[in-house]
Amino acid sequence: MRPKSDQNTVHHLRPTITAPVFPSTSTEFINVMAHYHRAEIARMAGWRDRIDRTTNWAITVVAAMLSVSLSTPTAHHGVLLFAMVLVLLLLVIEARRYRFFDVYRNRVRRMERNYYAQIFSPEDGTTDDWIHKLGDDLRRPLFLTSHSQAISRRMRRNYCWLFLILLVAWLVKTTFIRMQESAVETHLVGSTGEWVRNAAIGPVPGWIVILAVTLFYGWVLFASLRRPKGEGELAFGNVHV
C-alpha cells in the first residue's frame, strides 16, 4: 500500500478540473455564439468539401470511361455499363456524406435565421424556441435526411446529368453494327434484333442487358423527380443545398 505522504503528493500533482463557466452577460453570450457559429461553419465546410470530392471523382470516371469507349471502335460497350456502376457507387457514398453535411448545415441555418438575421433585420414572430431545439440537437444529434432523400437530392443536382451522358454514349455504341469487329463497315442498326445482338455481353443476352438498363434509368428518373414534402429551404433550391 502506498504511504499517505505519497498519496498526497500524487493528489497535489493532478490537474484541477473545475465546472465550465457559463456566459452570464450579453457580451459573453455573443462571444460564445460567434465562436460556435464559426466552429459549425468549419464542420459544414469540411463535409461540403468531401461531397465535392466525390462529385469530382464521378466526373473523372465518366470522362475516363468515355475516352476509353468512344476513342476506339474496338472498345466494348460494357465499359460504359461498368462506368454506370462506378458512378452509382460514388452516388451512394456521396449521399452518406450529404446526410452528415445536412446536420451541420441545419445548425448553421438555424442560428443565421433566428439570431443573426434578427440582429441585421428584426422581424416579428421569432421566438426563443430555436435555441432549445439547437441544444436538443447537440445533446442527441440525429440525421435529418433519409438515405433515399439524400440520393434524390444529389441525383437532382449532379448525377442525373452524368447518367444521361453515359446513356447517350451507350446508345451510340450499341446502335452501330459490330463496331468491335470492323471499324470500317460500321453503320446504324436497321432493326431491333440487330440492336439486341449488339447489346449482348458475353453469355448475357442483349435483351437482358437492355431490360436492366431500362429499369435502372427508370429508377434514375424516379429518384431525380422525387421531391418529398416539407423540405423547407431545400424545396426552393437555395445556395445552402
Side-chain angles (χ1 to χ4, degrees):
M1 184 175 181
R2 181 175 296 178
K4 186 175 182 180
S5 59
D6 293 343
Q7 292 180 358
N8 293 334
T9 302
V10 172
H11 180 74
H12 176 72
L13 294 176
R14 288 176 180 173
T16 303
I17 300 177
T18 58
V21 178
F22 295 96
S24 57
T25 64
S26 59
T27 302
E28 293 177 350
F29 181 79
I30 291 173
N31 288 333
V32 169
M33 287 296 297
H35 288 294
Y36 175 65
H37 180 260
R38 187 181 299 112
E40 288 294 350
I41 285 286
R43 298 170 76 177
M44 183 184 71
W47 283 100
R48 176 77 255 185
D49 180 66
R50 291 188 177 188
I51 292 175
D52 292 338
R53 290 183 185 182
T54 315
T55 304
N56 292 339
W57 273 110
I59 296 174
T60 302
V61 167
V62 172
M65 294 301 180
L66 286 178
S67 63
V68 170
S69 178
L70 300 180
S71 62
T72 171
T74 58
H76 197 272
H77 68 89
V79 174
L80 297 172
L81 299 180
F82 179 63
M84 296 176 189
V85 175
L86 288 181
V87 173
L88 178 62
L89 176 61
L90 291 171
L91 171 61
V92 172
I93 296 174
E94 184 168 317
R96 176 184 175 275
R97 294 179 175 182
Y98 179 85
R99 297 181 72 194
F100 284 95
F101 161 78
D102 187 59
V103 172
Y104 306 121
R105 184 206 68 87
N106 182 266
R107 293 177 183 175
V108 170
R109 290 295 297 130
R110 192 185 297 277
M111 287 185 285
E112 291 177 347
R113 285 195 308 267
N114 299 282
Y115 184 74
Y116 292 100
Q118 284 296 100
I119 295 176
F120 300 130
S121 179
E123 290 184 356
D124 296 332
T126 301
T127 64
D128 295 334
D129 292 341
W130 69 272
I131 198 70
H132 300 293
K133 293 180 179 178
L134 181 60
D136 293 337
D137 186 35
L138 292 175
R139 289 190 180 92
R140 292 173 293 274
L142 299 172
F143 286 120
L144 305 176
T145 306
S146 66
H147 199 264
S148 60
Q149 287 177 333
I151 288 179
S152 295
R153 290 176 185 175
R154 302 316 300 161
M155 182 80 77
R156 240 182 353 256
R157 292 296 177 184
N158 297 316
Y159 283 81
C160 64
W161 308 111
L162 298 179
F163 283 123
L164 180 61
I165 292 173
L166 290 175
L167 176 62
V168 172
W170 181 78
L171 290 175
V172 169
K173 291 293 291 186
T174 56
T175 52
F176 280 85
I177 293 295
R178 293 297 178 191
M179 296 181 66
Q180 60 271 21
E181 290 183 359
S182 176
V184 179
E185 301 177 1
T186 58
H187 57 277
L188 287 173
V189 297
S191 65
T192 304
E194 292 176 340
W195 180 43
V196 171
R197 286 193 297 271
N198 275 357
I201 300 179
V204 182
W207 68 269
I208 294 181
V209 176
I210 294 175
L211 178 61
V213 172
T214 302
L215 292 177
F216 175 73
Y217 275 89
W219 172 80
V220 169
L221 181 62
F222 170 77
S224 301
L225 299 179
R226 177 175 176 264
R227 290 178 178 269
K229 295 181 180 179
E231 284 195 327
E233 293 178 327
L234 298 178
F236 303 97
N238 288 0
V239 296
H240 294 279
V241 182

